[in-house]
Amino acid sequence: MANTIASRVYRDKYRSATLDTLLRGAMVSESITSVDRSNNLRIQSPYSSTPTVVVQALAGTYTPAEFTTTDDVLTVTDEFIVGEHIHDFQESLTQFDLFAARTEQMAFNVAKKIDEFVLNNLCEDGTGTYTTPAGGFATAANVNEIFANINSQVDGFADSYNGKFVVLENTDMVGLYQAGATNGFTFSDNVLNNGMVGQWMGVDIYVVRTGTFTDATVGTITWTNAGHRVAGVKNVATTALPGGIKTEEKMVSGKTGMEVATYGYVGFKLWAPKVTLVIDITLA
């Protein structure tokens, strides 16, 4: 029994480290939103309304203004979960660590689904709008114009110094690679020699797989984002992951082997005072 417990402990350590690395590395949403891992179902808005400044002749007097607060909160309403049963004969008769392979695959799929959830919510809730020229990002001649327009919508705000981003699908990169290969010596060298297009006009570029932006209902949320992309200012939205992502390994009566479940609770909020700083891009 002691040996069984010891090897289970080492397995748990491996699983925890693997999950943490995979989830953080695979999630674009962690780079562009603030992530709250506290055990809170409800998170209050970190932003207040903007005060009105009065400019007047020297008088030394003022009139206190009334102001209202908006009850803007993030409430966690959705859970992401995947569970599988790995029979002992499946584990014992394979030539690789089936448990580790399945745990990694489950972690990747959870991360991918969370990213889809957050990115589509971000795109749906942003009130900035922009329609690209015909051909969108995939047309090289459009790229400079598109990024100039993205910048123009958020430049001048103090929040823009948090950093700017755009999230594209992999098929959009065709135009960026072609344009990057002809824009300036150092930049084109990076594109031609290394295939690197990480930033354009100060906007950080994140790439997800085709089919991330969709028309769908996922959990309790419905969005209509097919043919859309999202851009804007980083960290004006919050992703809630209360308690982080968890995993369970348990024995099931009547079956050999172990049942493994990976799950987490996820909420999202683009805070009301900042909705104009996120741009819903429509591809023409």
Side-chain angles (χ1 to χ4, degrees):
M1 181 62 70
N3 289 336
T4 302
I5 293 174
S7 54
R8 168 70 183 275
V9 168
Y10 286 124
R11 176 180 285 184
D12 284 349
K13 287 182 178 179
Y14 168 79
R15 179 171 64 243
S16 177
T18 300
L19 277 169
D20 194 55
T21 300
L22 283 170
L23 287 168
R24 288 176 182 270
M27 292 174 65
V28 171
S29 53
E30 291 231 358
S31 300
I32 61 178
T33 68
S34 299
V35 180
D36 189 312
R37 287 189 169 81
S38 61
N39 292 321
N40 294 321
L41 173 67
R42 179 184 171 94
I43 300 171
Q44 295 295 135
S45 173
Y47 301 106
S48 60
S49 59
T50 303
T52 300
V53 177
V54 176
V55 180
Q56 61 186 24
L58 293 173
T61 60
Y62 62 90
T63 302
E66 297 289 340
F67 70 94
T68 58
T69 58
T70 301
D71 188 16
D72 197 21
V73 298
L74 184 166
T75 303
V76 178
T77 58
D78 295 276
E79 66 178 359
F80 292 68
I81 188 164
V82 57
E84 294 180 340
H85 190 96
I86 301 174
H87 291 278
D88 182 72
F89 71 85
Q90 293 174 311
E91 172 74 7
S92 299
L93 301 179
T94 53
Q95 295 183 339
F96 60 94
D97 189 340
L98 181 63
F99 178 89
R102 291 310 301 169
T103 300
E104 289 179 4
Q105 188 63 46
M106 290 165 71
F108 173 78
N109 285 345
V110 169
K112 183 175 181 295
K113 202 66 178 178
I114 291 173
D115 243 15
E116 175 189 318
F117 182 82
V118 172
L119 294 175
N120 276 281
N121 272 284
L122 191 64
C123 185
E124 188 76 11
D125 294 346
T127 61
T129 59
Y130 174 64
T131 300
T132 69
F137 291 90
T139 300
N142 294 340
V143 172
N144 283 337
E145 179 182 347
I146 291 172
F147 278 88
N149 278 287
I150 289 172
N151 274 311
S152 71
Q153 290 209 26
V154 297
D155 282 347
F157 287 101
D159 301 272
S160 66
Y161 295 103
N162 291 335
K164 292 169 283 190
F165 73 90
V166 64
V167 183
L168 306 177
E169 293 187 353
N170 57 289
T171 50
D172 299 317
M173 296 301 293
V174 175
L176 274 76
Y177 282 122
Q178 293 180 40
T182 59
N183 275 274
F185 294 108
T186 302
F187 191 71
S188 63
D189 283 347
N190 278 330
V191 176
L192 288 168
N193 296 330
N194 306 312
M196 294 175 60
V197 186
Q199 190 181 76
W200 203 290
M201 294 185 182
V203 179
D204 291 336
I205 300 167
Y206 298 91
V207 184
V208 294
R209 296 296 298 172
T210 298
T212 297
F213 293 96
T214 57
D215 295 343
T217 297
V218 176
T220 63
I221 308 296
T222 298
W223 55 69
T224 53
N225 293 325
H228 290 240
R229 304 294 183 262
V230 66
V233 174
K234 294 181 179 180
N235 299 328
V236 296
T238 298
T239 300
L241 293 169
I245 303 300
K246 303 178 179 67
T247 187
E248 292 181 357
E249 179 183 349
K250 63 188 77 173
M251 298 186 69
V252 178
S253 176
K255 293 184 179 181
T256 64
M258 303 292 286
E259 184 176 286
V260 182
T262 301
Y263 59 94
Y265 314 108
V266 180
F268 171 84
K269 185 70 176 182
L270 173 56
W271 301 107
K274 306 297 181 181
V275 293
T276 59
L277 297 181
V278 173
I279 306 165
D280 179 356
I281 300 173
T282 302
L283 301 181

